[in-house]
Each structure stands twice: as C-alpha cells, then as structure tokens.
Amino acid sequence: MKIIMLGAPGAGKGTQAKQIAAKYQIPHISTGDIFRANIKNGTELGMKAKSYMDAGGLVPDDVTIGMLLDRISEPDSKNGYVLDGFPRTIPQAESLTKALAERGENIDYAIDVDVPDEAIVSRMSGRRACVSCGATYHIVYNPTKKEGICDACGQTLILRDDDKPETVQKRLSVYHEQTQPLIDYYSKEGKLVTVDGTQDLNDVFRDIVKVLGE
Ligand code: AP5
Ligand code: MG
C-alpha cells in the first residue's frame, strides 16, 4: 500500500502516519524527519536544509526530490510506504508520479488531514518532538508517560525550532501557496481521501482505517 499524507503543518500528518505504518507494516517516510536527522548529525544535506526550514520555507525541489526517490528505492519500501511531508509542491508530485509510472506503480491513496488554520497555531506550541525516532507528542492532547521523555525510545524531547508562532504563520502561508494545489492534483487522479483532522486523534485514525481497510 502506497499512501501520501497531505495537510497543513501541524494537521497531524506525522501522528497519523506513525499509526498507519504500525498497523499496515509499512515504513513511515517523513522528509521533515530525514532533514532534522541530517541537521542533528551535521551532514551536508542538513546544512543545506536548515536555513530554509528555520525560516519556514521549503527546501528546494532539486534537493528534496532526489532524496525521496532514493529513499523509496530501498528494500524496505518494496511493499509500500506512507509518505509524510512529500510531495509538497506540484513538481514534487509530478516527479513522484513519473518515477512510479516507470516502475508500473501508482499511489493508492492521498489522505488529506483537514484542519483549519485557527486550530493549527495552538497545536504547534504544545508539540514536543523526538529527534531520535521522530515520534510526536502534545503536552495536552497526546502527553508522554514521563514529562519530556520519548515513550518510544527514551530520548529527550524538543520543541522544534520552526514551531515559534511567527514561523508557523509563514509555514501556513507557504502551505496554502505551494502545497494546497496538491489536493486538486490528487483529486483529479481519483486518489484523494479527506478526513476531519479536528477530531480526537483516535477518531481521525478510525476514519482513515475505514478507508484503508482493517
Ligand atoms: P515537516 O516536518 O513535514 O513539518 P510540517 O508539514 O510543517 O508538519 P508538521 O510535522 O509540523 O505537522 P504534522 O502534520 O506532522 O503534525 P503532527 O502529527 O506533528 O517539515 C518541516 C520542514 O521541512 C518544512 O517546513 C520544510 O522546510 C522542510 N520540508 C519537509 N518536507 C519537504 C518537502 N517535501 N519539500 C520541501 N521542504 C520540505 O501534530 C502536530 C501537533 O498536534 C502534535 O503536538 C500532535 O500531538 C498534535 N495532534 C495531532 N493530531 C491531533 C488531534 N487530532 N487533536 C489534537 N492534537 C493533535
Ligand atoms: Mg510531521
């Protein structure tokens, strides 16, 4: 099963993608997580990505597309994957469609986790993220068992640099300009599924499972 998660920053793409990956036994591939891991490890890719990310902009397509296409060529991606944060521009979507078509493959679903902008800003300030394993929590809506420590891997959680309110506003406007057109793109391809992302996170997942099957 090949799935794309669409939705604004903070809509809950990562939260849902983790659960989808666990239930359907497919890798969760988050371009944001890959960039953050590279920044943490001080790689050349990380250095390229950091300034764009900190400013709330997008990392250029020429960096991002090759990285993602390499990642989905790895052996663990053979039976599918859930892409979280890619594609984010029309050229990225077109590159993915083309690369898959060359292998006789196609995306199964593009799931849009729909949340209005007003709800996003308050969610972001309460988010805590694990840079080691990519898990995401919320101090109110999805707390860890032990404050500040990742339930999954025991590492210390961080508040992401790009979760400051003014950067979140910038990310939202970049989303509306560059990423929202993908909703139309996947709708025309007949792949779009929209779920109400303002619900409790377990209810969002229940709606996704209704579409993907038990
Ligand atoms: P990325 O890491 O993908 O960030 P994003 O799209 O801005 O999305 P987020 O991770 O912020 O939100 P999310 O939808 O995953 O929400 P989450 O589940 O955490 O990208 C970061 C940056 O990297 C980009 O700005 C860009 O610079 C660069 N980048 C990445 N991919 C790129 C690409 N393809 N091209 C170019 N540049 C790229 O949930 C948010 C919070 O809400 C959490 O605290 C969570 O616990 C809580 N929550 C989740 N669901 C619910 C719910 N139903 N109710 C209440 N709270 C909830
Ligand atoms: Mg995320």
Side-chain angles (χ1 to χ4, degrees):
M1 189 147 51
K2 298 187 189 67
I3 298 164
I4 290 171
M5 302 304 292
L6 296 175
K13 300 180 296 294
T15 302
Q16 299 302 327
K18 282 255 169 229
Q19 294 201 60
I20 292 170
K23 182 172 173 71
Y24 300 98
Q25 300 282 300
I26 50 177
H28 167 209
I29 301 176
S30 157
T31 40
D33 286 353
I34 298 173
F35 289 135
R36 280 186 289 278
N38 275 277
I39 291 171
K40 189 179 168 219
N41 295 328
T43 69
E44 198 180 320
L45 176 66
M47 307 223 266
K48 268 191 206 155
K50 187 172 181 356
S51 57
Y52 299 102
M53 290 174 73
D54 284 352
L58 296 183
V59 180
D61 283 345
D62 60 347
V63 175
T64 309
I65 292 171
M67 177 185 88
L68 188 279
L69 295 182
D70 284 348
R71 177 64 189 86
I72 62 171
S73 305
E74 286 177 25
D76 69 336
S77 299
K78 215 170 57 237
N79 297 322
Y81 36 77
V82 50
L83 300 184
D84 162 16
F86 186 100
R88 238 183 174 92
T89 63
I90 292 286
Q92 289 182 15
E94 287 171 343
S95 305
L96 178 64
T97 303
K98 183 164 165 276
L100 289 177
E102 281 165 6
R103 306 175 195 176
E105 297 175 0
N106 212 332
I107 282 296
D108 296 297
Y109 299 101
I111 302 174
D112 177 32
V113 183
D114 188 27
V115 177
D117 288 8
E118 307 82 79
I120 298 284
V121 182
S122 75
R123 272 193 195 182
M124 298 303 231
S125 56
R127 171 163 61 185
R128 297 294 179 272
C130 178
V131 187
S132 274
C133 75
T136 306
Y137 304 92
H138 191 282
I139 51 176
V140 177
Y141 308 123
N142 186 18
T144 46
K145 294 195 182 77
K146 205 167 149 204
E147 200 184 313
I149 303 294
C150 180
D151 286 348
C153 75
Q155 296 294 310
T156 307
L157 301 178
I158 59 146
L159 180 65
R160 272 170 43 181
D161 287 343
D162 58 350
D163 279 351
K164 295 187 295 264
E166 60 278 20
T167 315
V168 171
Q169 289 297 352
K170 166 75 179 160
R171 284 161 63 198
L172 277 170
S173 67
V174 169
Y175 167 76
H176 289 299
E177 252 168 56
Q178 302 203 49
T179 308
Q180 211 169 18
L182 296 181
I183 293 179
D184 237 32
Y185 179 94
Y186 285 106
S187 171
K188 284 186 186 131
E189 300 240 312
K191 306 291 181 193
L192 185 73
V193 174
T194 304
V195 294
D196 175 2
T198 63
Q199 308 174 89
D200 177 88
L201 44 95
N202 296 313
D203 294 335
V204 179
F205 188 59
R206 184 204 56 207
D207 285 356
I208 291 174
V209 170
K210 271 190 208 154
V211 174
L212 303 185
E214 271 302 337

